[in-house]
């Protein structure tokens, strides 16, 4: 109980007694120094993308706190592009538990019920309320039911702020809160779905896709060799996702975006997906990355979180030039170099209009960034990304929408500095078990710092694969086969050395595998 805290947006949002001093504002929680893991109940009234409530759950997960609701829940319920119809579809398996409810009065077709920590004053919905909280772990929710020919069904579910708790429910709410506080914390459990053709989600109009059309055609040829059919799809195929056995997202991902919806839909169907929703949530937010990496001892550039209240304080501690970042920028967008305090205040004001928190980091100039690709907990490729000529970033964006990129040089895993590999693997492990591109800088002192972890790194024929060769693409396909519990078709080319009899890989690839295994063992 002493390790439990309740986070609200403003102190007056919690109108009930707080004898144990557990209530804390979101601003105080953001500013608090991470310590031993705590239980966090996030009751912020705003939980949409990049709001105070969103950051409360994001920072809690980054710090290792056990938070209710989890970040995935907020993304499902608000601000992630998930419509109420999609959410209701995902909860349709609970509709049979409503058959005992009587029909509504004439002229009434809807019914709403408040749910507090899995409990509801509506006696007929006790079982459904408990199951919804078990699945979604959202402390305060409003359930909407609709009545039709088939009886009652779930039509919507939305998070509530404390201001939506009517005073007649005060005692019920406090009892539910205390009962939840006494319970042992458990992760939410989603529906179990059992569910292989590999769908590749791609946007042909994206000027900076993670994989180009030639690469996707090459991937399809590798798939044929392994008995896997690769089919390129676009956002219009969302409703048809169930006919595929795996999903490979090759679009630039974001949380309020259809790519996140595709990832969540695939997970609900039991389909292996890269990248998964948790990886998207974690990697697309640089605030999470900074907190998680620094909190687990992974070296990063000196970083300060900036809010409107701390702009002046942070400005006084910076050494210029410095770098300001919006948390969800990609491909060098939303990243600005500021040369002096005046520029800092001007750029910070513009970025804070987009997000409640931004980052200020030391500027660490290098000729190139290391990129280590990690898939399923193992190094997939290593590359050096050089800065764009006469520019301080890898990608330079012009006002007319065009862009220039620096050169890419692939490096053999065995030729990569062990400190770079060790830092990359430590960072990737904190994100999950998907596909990551870990960007690192090796400073003149020899120190290695992790700049960020990307959830959908570039993979193109003739670029990232130049050192790894054909093995890279077979490992990508093999990752999906393994996740789906499948094996390559008899007679197909091998996926990994472990799947092969001796002598079935070319000599050069056997040597590459051996060197990679030796390096992994050395840095483990």
């Amino acid at each position: 109980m002493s390790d439990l805290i309740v986070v609200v947006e403003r102190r007056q949002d919690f109108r009930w007694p707080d004898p144990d001093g557990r209530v804390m504002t979101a601003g105080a929680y953001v500013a608090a120094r991470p310590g031993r893991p705590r239980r966090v109940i996030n009751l912020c009234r705003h939980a949409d993308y990049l709001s105070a409530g969103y950051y409360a759950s994001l920072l809690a997960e980054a710090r290792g706190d056990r938070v209710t609701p989890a970040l995935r829940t907020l993304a499902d319920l608000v601000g992630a592009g998930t419509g109420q119809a999609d959410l209701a579809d995902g909860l349709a398996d609970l509709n049979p538990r409503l058959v005992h409810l009587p029909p509504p009065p004439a002229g009434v077709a809807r019914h709403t019920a408040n749910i507090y920590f899995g409990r509801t004053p509506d006696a007929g919905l006790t079982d459904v309320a408990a199951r919804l909280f078990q699945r979604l772990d959202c402390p305060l929710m409003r359930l909407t039911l609709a009545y039709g020919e088939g009886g009652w069904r779930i039509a919507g579910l939305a998070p509530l702020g404390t201001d939506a708790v009517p005073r007649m429910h005060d005692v019920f709410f406090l009892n539910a809160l205390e009962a939840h506080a006494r319970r042992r914390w458990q992760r939410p459990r989603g529906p179990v779905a059992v569910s292989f053709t590999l769908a590749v989600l791609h946007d042909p109009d994206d000027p900076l896709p993670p994989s180009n059309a030639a690469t996707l055609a090459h991937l399809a040829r590798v798939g044929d060799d392994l008995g896997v059919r690769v089919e390129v799809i676009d956002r219009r195929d969302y409703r048809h996702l169930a006919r595929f056995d795996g999903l490979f997202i090759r679009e630039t991902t974001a949380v309020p975006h259809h790519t996140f919806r595709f990832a969540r839909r695939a997970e609900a169907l039991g389909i292996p997906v890269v990248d998964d929703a948790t990886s998207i949530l974690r990697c697309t937010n640089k605030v999470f990355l900074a907190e998680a990496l620094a909190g687990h001892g992974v070296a990063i550039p000196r970083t300060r979180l900036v809010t409107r209240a701390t702009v002046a304080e942070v400005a006084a501690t910076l050494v210029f030039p410095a770098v300001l970042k919006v948390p969800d920028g990609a491909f060098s967008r939303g990243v600005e170099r500021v040369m002096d305090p005046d520029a800092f205040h001007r750029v910070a004001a513009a970025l804070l209009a987009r997000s409640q928190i931004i980052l200020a980091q030391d500027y660490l100039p290098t000729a190139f960034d290391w990129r280590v690709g990690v898939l399923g907990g193992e190094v997939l490729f290593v590359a050096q990304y050089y800065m764009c000529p006469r520019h301080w970033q890898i990608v330079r964006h012009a006002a007319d929408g065009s862009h220039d990129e620096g050169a890419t040089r692939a490096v053999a895993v065995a030729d990569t500095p062990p400190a770079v590999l060790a830092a990359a693997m430590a960072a990737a492990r904190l994100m999950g078990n998907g596909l990551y591109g870990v960007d690192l800088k090796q400073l003149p002192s020899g120190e290695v710092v992790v700049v960020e972890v990307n959830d959908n790194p570039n993979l193109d024929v003739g670029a990232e694969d130049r050192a790894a060769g054909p093995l890279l693409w077979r490992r990508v396909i093999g990752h999906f086969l393994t996740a789906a519990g499948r094996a390559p078709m008899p007679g197909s080319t091998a996926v990994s050395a472990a799947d092969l009899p001796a002598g079935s890989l070319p000599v050069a690839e056997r040597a590459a595998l051996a060197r990679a295994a030796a390096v992994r063992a050395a840095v483990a």
Side-chain angles (χ1 to χ4, degrees):
M1 295 283 286
S2 60
D3 286 338
L4 176 73
I5 60 172
V6 176
V7 177
V8 293
E9 209 155 315
R10 301 175 303 176
R11 182 60 186 83
Q12 56 265 40
D13 290 342
F14 195 90
R15 66 175 186 261
W16 303 275
D18 178 31
D20 298 321
R22 299 182 301 197
V23 178
M24 175 184 290
T25 65
Y29 182 69
V30 168
R33 294 179 61 86
R36 65 179 185 177
R38 297 175 290 183
R39 290 181 65 189
V40 177
I41 298 175
N42 178 5
L43 296 183
C44 289
R45 63 167 63 191
H46 295 105
D48 50 313
Y49 184 56
L50 301 186
S51 66
Y54 185 92
Y55 275 117
S57 285
L58 181 141
L59 287 171
E61 292 193 14
R63 294 169 177 175
D65 290 342
R66 297 164 295 181
V67 62
T68 302
L71 196 59
R72 289 166 65 107
T73 297
L74 295 184
D76 278 346
L77 291 175
V78 293
T82 303
Q84 285 293 298
D86 293 332
L87 183 61
D89 284 349
L91 300 172
D93 61 302
L94 296 179
N95 288 336
R97 299 183 177 276
L98 304 173
V99 295
H100 67 281
L101 297 179
V108 176
R110 295 210 160 219
H111 177 73
T112 61
N114 284 7
I115 300 174
Y116 311 123
F117 301 95
R119 302 182 178 206
T120 177
D122 195 320
L125 294 172
T126 301
D127 176 60
V128 169
R131 291 176 183 275
L132 286 170
F133 184 60
Q134 183 185 66
R135 184 172 297 185
L136 290 170
D137 87 313
C138 186
L140 313 183
M141 297 182 281
R142 176 163 292 150
L143 171 67
T144 301
L145 305 180
Y147 189 79
E149 291 184 4
W152 290 103
R153 62 177 177 82
I154 294 176
L157 192 68
L160 293 179
T162 52
D163 58 316
V165 179
R167 293 191 177 274
M168 69 179 69
H169 289 176
D170 278 357
V171 174
F172 189 95
F173 166 78
L174 288 174
N175 287 340
L177 170 61
E178 289 306 313
H180 175 72
R182 290 192 294 270
R183 286 177 56 188
R184 182 176 179 181
W185 183 85
Q186 293 181 327
R187 293 186 182 277
R189 298 198 299 268
V192 177
V194 179
S195 173
F196 188 148
T197 313
L198 178 62
V200 179
L201 183 61
H202 174 67
D203 178 4
D205 298 322
D206 187 350
L208 285 167
S211 293
N212 56 35
T215 297
L216 300 185
H218 179 76
L219 186 68
R221 291 192 292 271
V222 175
D224 287 341
D225 187 39
L226 295 168
V228 172
R229 183 164 67 89
V230 174
E231 184 174 330
V232 177
I233 64 173
D234 62 30
R235 63 186 302 171
R236 295 171 296 182
D237 292 294
Y238 178 79
R239 294 290 182 184
H240 309 299
L241 197 56
R243 65 186 179 88
F244 298 101
D245 301 301
L247 174 62
F248 191 18
I249 299 176
R250 290 283 80 196
E251 285 194 46
T252 302
T253 55
V255 176
H257 194 250
H258 67 268
T259 50
F260 185 84
R261 292 181 61 208
F262 268 79
R264 291 297 282 139
R265 180 68 172 162
E267 291 173 342
L269 292 168
I271 295 173
V273 55
V274 172
D275 274 303
D276 59 276
T278 296
S279 295
I280 295 173
L281 283 165
R282 292 174 175 176
C283 295
T284 58
N285 195 290
K286 296 177 177 64
V287 172
F288 179 92
L289 291 174
E291 286 281 317
L293 296 173
H296 288 82
V298 177
I300 62 173
R302 192 167 65 111
T303 301
R304 273 76 84 216
L305 302 184
V306 185
T307 65
R308 290 183 181 88
T310 63
V311 169
E313 175 188 337
V314 172
T317 69
L318 289 178
V319 176
F320 293 95
V323 176
L324 291 180
K325 297 180 177 181
V326 70
D328 58 350
F331 290 105
S332 300
R333 298 188 185 96
V335 179
E336 302 284 347
R337 183 175 59 174
V338 291
M339 306 303 292
D340 53 50
D342 288 342
F344 169 83
H345 284 283
R346 183 178 66 256
V347 173
L351 296 183
L352 284 168
R354 294 172 53 184
S355 173
Q356 294 234 352
I357 302 176
I358 62 174
L359 296 92
Q361 290 186 328
D362 287 353
Y363 173 55
L364 303 175
T366 54
F368 62 85
D369 284 355
W370 286 98
R371 163 69 64 84
V372 178
V374 179
L375 176 62
E378 296 190 346
V379 175
L380 181 66
F381 69 87
V382 180
Q384 295 171 342
Y385 289 171
Y386 283 79
M387 303 301 148
C388 191
R390 298 177 299 281
H391 189 60
W392 65 281
Q393 293 172 292
I394 293 166
V395 180
R396 176 173 53 197
H397 297 278
D400 61 2
S402 62
H403 69 276
D404 296 318
E405 297 183 58
T408 297
R409 174 179 175 266
V411 179
V413 174
D415 297 332
T416 305
V420 169
L421 291 174
M425 294 299 291
R429 278 194 293 269
L430 295 173
M431 300 302 112
N433 196 45
L435 173 63
Y436 310 108
V438 185
D439 291 342
L440 313 97
K441 288 181 179 289
Q442 190 165 31
L443 307 180
S445 64
E447 180 187 7
V448 174
V449 297
V450 174
V451 178
E452 62 186 28
V453 183
N454 302 277
D455 65 292
N456 62 334
N458 282 53
L459 278 180
D460 278 322
V461 170
E464 287 78 14
D465 71 341
R466 190 172 288 275
L471 182 62
L472 182 150
W473 305 106
R474 294 202 289 274
R475 287 183 59 194
V476 169
I477 295 289
H479 179 82
F480 287 95
L481 292 172
T482 300
R486 307 289 182 88
M489 292 290 287
S492 64
T493 306
V495 177
S496 70
D499 299 321
L500 297 173
S504 51
L505 268 180
V507 172
E509 292 184 17
R510 289 205 308 274
L513 276 175
R515 289 195 301 270
V519 171
R520 287 197 301 272
V523 301

